[in-house]
Amino acid sequence: MQKTGLSRRSFLALTGAVGASTLLFGGCAPKGDKEAAVEGAAKAADDGTQIVNTCSTFDCGGKCLIKAHVKDGAITKIDTRDPYQPNEDAPCGKACVRGRSYRKWQYHPDRLQHPMKRVGKRGEGKFEPISWDEAIDYIVSENERILKEYGPLARYVQIGTGDTGGNIVRADLAARFCDVTGGHIGCYNSVSMGNTGTATPSMFGIANTGSSLASLKDTKLVILWGHNPAETIFGLSNYYFRQMKENGCKFIVVDPRYSNTAVELADEWIPLLPTTDNALMDAMAYVIVTEGLHDQEFLDKYVVGFDEEHMPEGVEPNQSYRAYLEGVADGTPKTPEWAEGICKVPAETIRRIAREYATTKPAALIEGWGPQRHACGERTALGGGMLGCITGNVGKVGGWAGAYNGFTRNFPLGMADLPEDLEFESASVPMSSGWIDAIDDHTSLTKENGLKGVDRLEYPVKMIWNIASDFMMTSGPDLNRVRAILEDESKVECIICSDVLMTPTAQWSDIVLPACTCFERWNVGGTWNNGDYFILSQKISEPLGEARSEYDWLAECADRMGVKDAFTGGKTEEEWVRYMVEETQKEFSDHNLPDFDTLTKEGVAFFKKEEPRVAFKDQIDDPKNNPFKTDSGKIELFSKKLYDMKNPEIPATPHYVPVAEGPGTELAVTYSLQLIGWKTKARDNSSYFTHPWLQQTQDTELWINPLDAEARGIADGDKVLVKNDRGAMKITAKVTTRIVPGCVAAPTGSWYNPDAEGVDQNGCVNVLTSSARTAWTQGNTQHTNLVEVAKL
């Protein structure tokens, strides 16, 4: 990899002049009142250090308070002391190990400092420095050429996996530039939770089915299904879960891995094979229903499709979920013994946890986003909602509905829309792999398999924008397929990348631009869920070298193409942030929010604390005046729309269907192990892979059960080769009982680093993952993989 960052001398001069940094670890800090916060934030230390309250804008839902110590324009220390948390009912997140290491990332010796242009073959990593004028000239001329030769839909804007946590999403700025100059292809279906977000409305009418975590205060039982907040640091989940644990709440963790969350919280771990979640859910439902533990009154009143007496018109007999459970149509009751043969959870364990879940009131089954990143992801997401329905835990304080992790408030207001008289073309493709098809065979994309906005694509994608994104060559699926496509420079003619480091995606780009960090620009950060506050992400340091904000140089590009006013709306980036804060203050005038100038001192704007929010409480308390936003006005455990599709991979009820690349299939004879990835505390997608401190917190190892290891002659610490028909990677084996037999797992986010034979050397799981999409939502299937493992 080409090193293009700070020289040792300049790096030492920058950091040494302000003294050594201190990395702080620990738990919650003491709290004080708001006035103490303002005084503490504004107070300068005796040596001239200023303490500034801010936050990052990484792809992280925590939005934790960062207290940056700044002297002479440089960050000398990061801590996360929070002296102004008003009370226990309105917490403000505190930085995890990633957040506390931001300073080392800010001054990483490999930071990009100058624009560069590719001079070798694409992917070789050979670049030469160029000036910003040359870079802008190239970007403008390539856009003008591609618009003339093909059209606006030849330009694709990749998901910005390195920066989605602020109101100004950097990748969205590229989309805005493309639209003011004619249009672009974008993407839909979040990689994180696209199957959940798209499938859930078929049952409940909306995607966001989570309640506020504060509503779980008196919950007696929580089942965390593939949910690992101890490592993903999902919002304020850990804060609330720890309180609940101390209050006597029992936690059951269902997961192929004995995750850090299971270590911390679980009273019981239920290991199961990936892709078999719905079999376990079905068997639990069978026990609950056949033993009369279900809430029939709730089902009769609020649900369509549970039994034959509550089915929509135009449906054949014996299509209800209860008929499926009892095996009326196929002759196979979905007993625990039936499920045990599929998911490998003992039948008696299934009976016990089913009875416990059904009889404990209230109880909450909360799904994470890992289980829905499978070929069966839609069904798994809906299966959790199904169990919530049959036990009557929907719309109840302490219960939970669906697979969404929590209630989300979208604060503050965003940038203004583009001018109404602006004409531009737009289309979108499935995020996980639609863009690959749009390059390789654009005619294959239709409305039936995921194309939106247009009936067909007239031409393939010829330009890719990678803004704060390493998705193209690290986080996306089937990287060897992507590599083969990008090596043919007649396919994609221009790839633009703006980032902080020379990532694998940057190495495969034609123009690489040095980007500002979140400490070198203005933005606003809000929590993904369960946080009634937002934080001003302040510019506290000047850009390093020639780094520039994308807003800045895209405005210059727009100016040269005659559309600057449409792009900027007459505002600088800082002025947009001021606008967003002040407009939010007006919109929520009853919340006594601080204005922009006050916020620069306080850092955090707390909204007025409300009662804990319970999803669908209004619908359950008063269904006549608050129907569900479904066709029937009720919860649809049976979907007539899905039934009419007549697709066996898209059942009308969320029940188990075997996946094509799963256990028991013909492919499993050759590749007998299932491979999954997991998000770790050391990385945010692929961000921080080269961070020297965070590398010490997470080893890149392949977890393998002792039974599977012994059968292959593998010992703990051995180097192994993991392969399938899509690719191969080398990695160190960790032999552990913390993973279910038949499954192996590796941390995600390792940078793609193939040798001459194409074998990845870094343990990048995406050389093995599939670019196939789910049948219904066209979502991500990156956790559904069969592999074989051999000792090297």
Side-chain angles (χ1 to χ4, degrees), residues 268-343:
E268 183 173 8
W269 169 46
I270 309 295
L272 83 168
L273 283 177
T275 75
T276 67
D277 303 73
N278 284 100
L280 176 56
M281 292 171 172
D282 290 340
M284 290 176 63
Y286 177 88
V287 172
I288 293 167
V289 172
T290 57
E291 296 186 4
L293 303 177
H294 59 298
D295 191 332
Q296 188 66 51
E297 181 180 354
F298 180 95
L299 293 165
D300 290 343
K301 189 173 183 180
Y302 302 109
V303 178
V304 169
F306 170 70
D307 51 34
E308 295 298 308
E309 290 72 35
H310 301 87
M311 292 290 286
E313 295 182 1
V315 178
E316 297 175 5
N318 301 321
Q319 299 298 312
S320 67
Y321 185 63
R322 181 164 191 164
Y324 162 78
L325 291 178
E326 295 173 346
V328 175
D330 62 6
T332 303
K334 308 311 178 291
T335 66
E337 287 75 17
W338 163 83
E340 179 178 353
I342 298 169
C343 66

Side-chain angles (χ1 to χ4, degrees), residues 480 675 683 689 699-702 717-724 727-734 746-747 750-768 788-792:
N480 288 324
L675 168 71
R683 304 170 195 164
F689 174 70
D699 293 324
T700 301
E701 298 174 317
L702 183 81
D718 283 346
K719 291 289 184 182
V720 296
L721 182 72
V722 188
K723 66 177 182 178
N724 60 19
M729 71 174 185
K730 294 179 181 179
I731 192 170
T732 301
K734 178 180 178 64
S750 295
W751 284 10
Y752 178 54
N753 181 29
D755 63 13
E757 285 73 42
V759 178
D760 179 75
Q761 306 296 298
N762 280 348
C764 179
V765 296
N766 283 314
V767 298
L768 300 156
E788 192 47 78
V789 180
K791 180 178 178 179
L792 288 172

Side-chain angles (χ1 to χ4, degrees), residues 525-537:
T527 58
W528 285 351
N529 65 344
N530 296 293
D532 290 334
Y533 65 89
F534 62 85
I535 302 179
L536 182 65
S537 183

Side-chain angles (χ1 to χ4, degrees), residues 28-40:
C28 298
K31 308 173 187 65
D33 58 21
K34 190 174 183 180
E35 289 72 23
V38 178
E39 180 181 352

